[in-house]
Amino acid sequence: MALPLSLPESARDEIHRLLHGSCDPSALSALATLRKALADGSGPEAGPAAGPREPVHGPGQGPVLLRRLRAMAEALPPGAGLLDDPARLAAVHACAAVADPSLCLAGLVHHLLCLGSLTELSDDPEGLEPRLSALREGRAKGVYLITEAGQANSHLATGTRAELDPDNGSFVLHTPEPRAAKFGSAGTWGVAQTGVVLARLFAGGADCGVFAFMVDLTDEQGPLPGVELSSPVALDALPLDYVHVRFHHVRVPFAHWLSDGARIDRDGTVHDPAGSPEQRLQRTLRVGQGLWAAMPAVAAATSRRSAVQAVNYARQRRTQSRIAPGVPLLSYRSQQTVALGALADAFALTCAADGALAVRTEAAPDAQGKEAMGFTPWAAVSLPLAAYKAVTVRTAARLTAECQHRCGFSGHLTVNRLAAYRGFHHAFDTAGGDSQLIFYDIGRSLAEQEEQEEKQEQKQEQKPERIPDPATSPHWWPATLRRHQHDLVRELRRRGATDATRDPFERWNPLLEQAGLLGEAHATLLMADDVTRVLGRLRDDDLVRALTPLAALHGVLAARRWAGSLLTLGTLDPVDMAALSGVTDRLCDTVMDQLPLLTAVFGGLDESDSAPLAAPDVNAAMAATLTWTRGATS
């Protein structure tokens, strides 16, 4: 479904900006090349390659994965500038996610966590050669090892040790007990793998905090001396080559310590500008900001694809229900609410991707990671980016699951990739910083604001913002959420969240659910504000006419999902909530009128989609994937 020829060039430019951020024309051309390479299984350098539906994990697939990582690298700026363009990084990984979610995850780990750590935390990049260049060029696979398998929140109590050898300045990396074994995607055989390993630095017996170290894990023959890999750990929802990793007194050169401004005197004393073990951990983990800034674009791209497939299926599929035999599924309100609602949420995620990239590019480096650590380090590293990661991944997980369900058995077929999208986002709700823990911490942070802000809040008699009428306005949902966030903060304070005289566990344990709601409301408000901001900058009348009711539909359906909390705290009354059903119907009618343009905008820029659910004739496309064997006749 290509963009209508009648669309002016200015509208096409706005669509490209909407979907790909600030990527320049050369980046868009590189993305088109990458789509083709991933669709036909080709990549740089001739040779055997996986087909478009063949996995890039498992025995014998290491070289295939490297070829695809090289294809991704070729769509990025070359050399040391590989990570310099956040919008391009996000677009490349979003492109990979649509084609193959497992490849996307491998790319995120390779580029944003492994290479990101080497780039941001090393004080001597030349000392990382030749491994650094091999990773940049896709000749080696990058791995990031933070999680330890034996305990929850292991990043807060890292057991892996890196002991300073005072004789030569190198480090000895060791796994002191079984539960300190690392868990990660380091089980790819047949290729060189280099890991960024988080370990607790000890010098002269003193614990100096958690630093990152570059460690060679495998070559083409297998694990290197001192590195022990377990048998594969299966994770079908997001298949990669997961294993447990143990280190047995592995020697790490001094130059491979990602010191991030810290230094060691001749007497072995470590001087760290972070100032404390807590701040050291936050600084070491700040590489996560690149991942969090890219994830909303990934969530948006897979959600747009899922929503367009669900709409396409519902328009073509005719039901034999006794109510109205032969009527397309999309004629039913229940189907419209889900399929058109998925389009609306995909638009909101697209706007959130723009907002996350703005935070990533505009925030001053010295302003990041200065917050005091709460329950976990994630919100302290960057509260807005952690919030974007959590809310977009969770929204995409719900959306892709609903689209898969509404497409019947076709939604479960591997060729349509909805199951892969769903598994990716459900798995990422925990990965990359657990979303629920992020919401808890954001809620705690909002409730424990400065004393002066709390006093000012207590002086206010009115709600912070009047909710505009009607709910058909895209501005209604952000105003409602802002008011609800105010109500949630006030309720947490009423229940003792700011009572510093109580033990922290006793104070917060009964309030975690409410704190999580507040954190999720705040993250949802970021996305809601992004919707109105992006909508407000569009200039093409046709686009504005099509996207305005879609934006409003996103807000109304979100309010219905939040009904319990909104009604409990009185943010909305029962009459307001009951009226939203009729508003939903009217907005669906308006969106239906704009459906050809909307599906073209969200699905028309990639002509390489081979999924039958995206085809003009779903049944014919599915039949074309089949071969038949007929039994012999006598």
Side-chain angles (χ1 to χ4, degrees), residues 263-274:
R263 60 184 177 85
I264 300 177
D265 285 347
R266 292 181 180 273
D267 63 359
T269 302
V270 176
H271 299 274
D272 187 358

Side-chain angles (χ1 to χ4, degrees), residues 406-553:
R406 294 302 177 121
C407 289
F409 80 89
S410 296
H412 293 267
L413 299 178
T414 301
V415 68
N416 289 316
R417 293 195 284 276
L418 291 178
Y421 297 159
R422 178 187 181 183
F424 176 87
H425 292 298
H426 274 283
F428 237 103
D429 195 59
T430 300
D434 187 280
S435 297
Q436 193 58 44
L437 293 180
I438 288 171
F439 288 146
Y440 289 154
D441 231 359
I442 293 173
R444 175 207 56 79
S445 178
L446 292 174
E448 294 182 343
Q449 288 177 339
E450 295 295 329
E451 184 177 357
Q452 186 60 39
E453 291 185 17
E454 183 176 353
K455 291 179 179 178
Q456 183 65 29
E457 192 74 46
Q458 292 171 347
K459 292 178 183 178
Q460 295 178 359
E461 298 293 333
Q462 302 296 322
K463 302 287 185 181
E465 185 175 340
R466 183 181 67 85
I467 298 176
D469 187 56
T472 51
S473 165
H475 296 274
W476 174 84
W477 178 231
T480 301
L481 264 179
R482 216 175 313 280
R483 183 174 178 179
H484 193 51
Q485 178 176 286
H486 169 273
D487 294 340
L488 286 165
V489 169
R490 187 176 60 181
E491 177 66 10
L492 270 174
R493 289 173 174 171
R494 185 189 68 80
R495 295 179 60 184
T498 55
D499 183 1
T501 64
R502 299 176 60 193
D503 175 78
F505 180 76
E506 292 181 355
R507 183 188 357 158
W508 281 108
N509 194 35
L511 300 179
L512 284 177
E513 182 178 356
Q514 195 79 2
L517 276 176
L518 173 56
E520 189 167 4
H522 178 78
T524 305
L525 178 56
L526 290 178
M527 183 160 60
D529 281 338
D530 288 330
V531 170
T532 58
R533 176 180 54 80
V534 170
L535 196 62
R537 79 179 183 211
L538 295 176
R539 294 295 174 261
D540 182 80
D541 290 341
D542 289 338
L543 280 179
V544 172
R545 191 178 304 111
L547 292 173
T548 297
L550 200 66
L553 182 62

